[in-house]
Amino acid sequence: MIVFGVWQLYGEWNDRLIFKKLQTQGEKALTASDWEKLPDILAEQYKKDTYGSTTPEGTLALFIDALKKGDADLASKYFIPEKQVEYKRGVQNWTKLGKNNGIDSTLERATDQRINKDGTATMGIFEGEKSFMTIFFIKNNYSG
């Protein structure tokens, strides 16, 4: 019972963090009832999302192109709305540290695409026979 209670509190806390990132770019406090609006806010964010491609390879190519240009704002648009603020900051840091070239050249090696019936897909990057990285893609059912 204690584990369930802790897990439920963690879920509510995580929902509040997601809402905070979506609505305020992580800068403002939430009102007590704001987190209840999260499903509607997420749906609206997904409906407005027109970034990406019709294929995982196309979306990855667009992301790599934005990285090469050092455009953190555009690169972050290729992530799910819940993660865009977080990953925008990551891309900004990669750019400041001059790591974009290494990251984009690694991502360009992605192969072995698998598309699942639920609209998700994966692409893998391998070092010899071993998987080095897996990239996950989710189809936006609102915007296609």
Side-chain angles (χ1 to χ4, degrees):
M1 239 11 205
I2 292 173
V3 173
F4 176 74
V6 170
W7 186 255
Q8 184 178 8
L9 288 174
Y10 170 77
E12 290 178 11
W13 174 76
N14 194 42
D15 287 348
R16 291 173 192 237
L17 286 179
I18 291 170
F19 182 88
K20 184 176 180 179
K21 288 178 182 179
L22 284 170
Q23 290 302 102
T24 66
Q25 304 291 305
E27 302 300 327
K28 296 179 184 175
L30 299 172
T31 64
S33 64
D34 281 344
W35 70 274
E36 293 173 0
K37 300 174 188 173
L38 184 62
D40 295 331
I41 291 167
L42 282 173
E44 194 59 34
Q45 293 286 328
Y46 277 90
K47 288 175 187 175
K48 291 178 182 177
D49 178 19
T50 59
Y51 293 89
S53 175
T54 57
T55 65
E57 303 99 324
T59 300
L60 183 59
L62 291 167
F63 175 71
I64 291 170
D65 187 53
L67 272 181
K68 286 181 178 180
K69 293 176 182 173
D71 189 341
D73 197 43
L74 179 58
S76 70
K77 302 288 187 198
Y78 299 110
F79 290 98
I80 60 174
E82 300 94 311
K83 295 288 186 178
Q84 288 178 1
V85 171
E86 177 183 346
Y87 285 112
K88 179 179 177 181
R89 291 180 181 147
V91 173
Q92 288 170 332
N93 287 335
W94 296 341
T95 302
K96 285 179 189 175
L97 295 171
K99 296 190 180 241
N100 283 8
N101 290 338
I103 293 168
D104 60 32
S105 65
T106 299
L107 293 174
E108 286 173 336
R109 296 183 310 164
T111 59
D112 190 37
Q113 176 179 290
R114 296 187 181 147
I115 299 178
N116 306 307
K117 291 180 182 177
D118 65 357
T120 62
T122 59
M123 291 179 76
I125 300 173
F126 295 88
E127 294 288 338
E129 296 292 317
K130 294 185 179 186
S131 176
F132 172 71
M133 179 187 299
T134 302
I135 306 165
F136 295 91
F137 298 87
I138 300 170
K139 182 178 180 182
N140 182 339
N141 290 321
Y142 289 103
S143 66

